[in-house]
Amino acid sequence: MISAPIRSSVGSALRSAAASSKRAPVARSMATLVDEKRLPAKFGGKYTVTLVPGDGIGKEVADSVKEIFDALKVPVQWEQYDVSGETTGGDDLFQQAMESLKRNKVGLKGILYTPIDQTGHNSWNVAMRQQLDIYASVVVCKSLPGFPTRHDNVDFAIIRENTEGEYSGLEHQSYPGVVESLKVSTRAKAERIARFAFDFAVKNNRKKVTCVHKANIMKLGDGLFLNTCRRIAEQEYGHTGIKFEAMIVDNTAMQLVSRPQQFDVMVMPNLYGTICANIGSALVGGPGITPGCNFGREYALFEPGCRHVGKDIMGTNKANPTALILSSTMMLRHLGLESQANLIAGATYDLVKEGKIRTADLGGSATTTDFTKGLIQRLL
């Protein structure tokens, strides 16, 4: 069983990051941690935040965020670590970044490349979540005003368990040509992610939680996850009126692309979460506009919700910085900087809605620089 202190810490810490501006539809739906004891201290009137730009387009979009913060004089100073998953021997720099995150408790990061070949290192994205125990990933997929897609009125949150499941990293070759990979599932971690999902639903006026699973095949592992979510729903949140349902993951994929409006809050193990987040991102416009965040008891890490490094457009000044910009506004709300968060998020949504400055992924020809300048002009 999960201990009472962990449960109360997460449950009481969640709140709506509702923006006062009606122009920030995604931001209004996000939840964040507001336990003041867990926020970083201010020095000279500024919060110190760890910045890991990431690989691919990471530095370009991170520069965009830094320019916007500078223009608006946001009281945040960066400790930047240019960690890269593409170079060997970067372990020392990665550990320095981890120490910075532990010290500052809040971070903003791009996506770090993970090599596919067997001689490469394990994912540093996963290592960060496991070492800091930032166990809950939150990605909200919501239609943007003024940017039509195949489906209208999409608005659902994907809550993903971040630290175990298929991403446990435990695999070995028991015999040449025979590989065994362990999917770890524990009741304690299923309980806390289920509580997180229901707390998110309560704090954000959501009406339904869908547990995504494959318990028809993985009867023990996914069966444990499903049954735990069902028990938490019935015994601890039945009085809230929030509806609980379960759906097999392959059917979920079909339902997402055929009728996404049926989903509200979705909770699921690690691998299903990353797949569904990519599908959800595609439904509303792609990885360039989907923000995300990760929470634990002590630390919060904000990053794009769709985990792509964008190597194909790296260095071309074509990247859409919207996802990281919106992730940074969630970070500002986490720090209690509501007014700056609302200004930046509102200007971002207005810029997308107006349609005059759009990057290639949204059907335009504007550069990353054009988008950043256009946004700053709206803010000043």
Side-chain angles (χ1 to χ4, degrees), residues 65-87:
V65 171
K66 290 194 290 185
E67 287 180 39
I68 292 164
F69 277 35
D70 287 344
L72 203 58
K73 294 181 172 56
V74 176
V76 166
Q77 60 184 6
W78 306 102
E79 282 187 1
Q80 182 168 335
Y81 294 86
D82 294 333
V83 180
S84 174
E86 297 204 72
T87 58

Side-chain angles (χ1 to χ4, degrees), residues 56-65 67 309-322 325 357-362 364-374:
I57 60 171
K59 288 186 179 180
E60 298 166 63
V61 295
D63 285 344
S64 178
V65 171
E67 287 180 39
V309 298
K311 289 180 65 175
D312 55 330
I313 57 172
M314 174 183 175
T316 63
N317 200 23
K318 293 181 179 179
N320 187 347
T322 300
I325 292 170
I357 303 177
R358 285 186 177 171
T359 48
D361 60 318
L362 299 184
S365 58
T367 63
T368 310
T369 303
D370 294 333
F371 191 95
T372 306
K373 287 182 177 179

Side-chain angles (χ1 to χ4, degrees), residues 9 36 56 65 74 99 116 128 133 139 160 163 225 256 278 314 330 338 345-346 355:
S9 172
E36 295 297 335
V65 171
V74 176
E99 290 302 316
I116 297 175
M128 282 186 172
D133 197 28
V139 177
R160 162 191 176 189
T163 61
F225 188 88
L256 277 170
N278 276 265
M314 174 183 175
M330 295 173 197
E338 295 276 350

Side-chain angles (χ1 to χ4, degrees), residues 327-349:
S327 299
S328 74
T329 66
M330 295 173 197
M331 181 193 76
L332 293 180
R333 290 193 177 88
H334 175 70
L335 294 172
L337 301 173
E338 295 276 350
S339 60
Q340 293 94 332
N342 293 341
L343 285 171
I344 296 172
T348 303
Y349 288 116

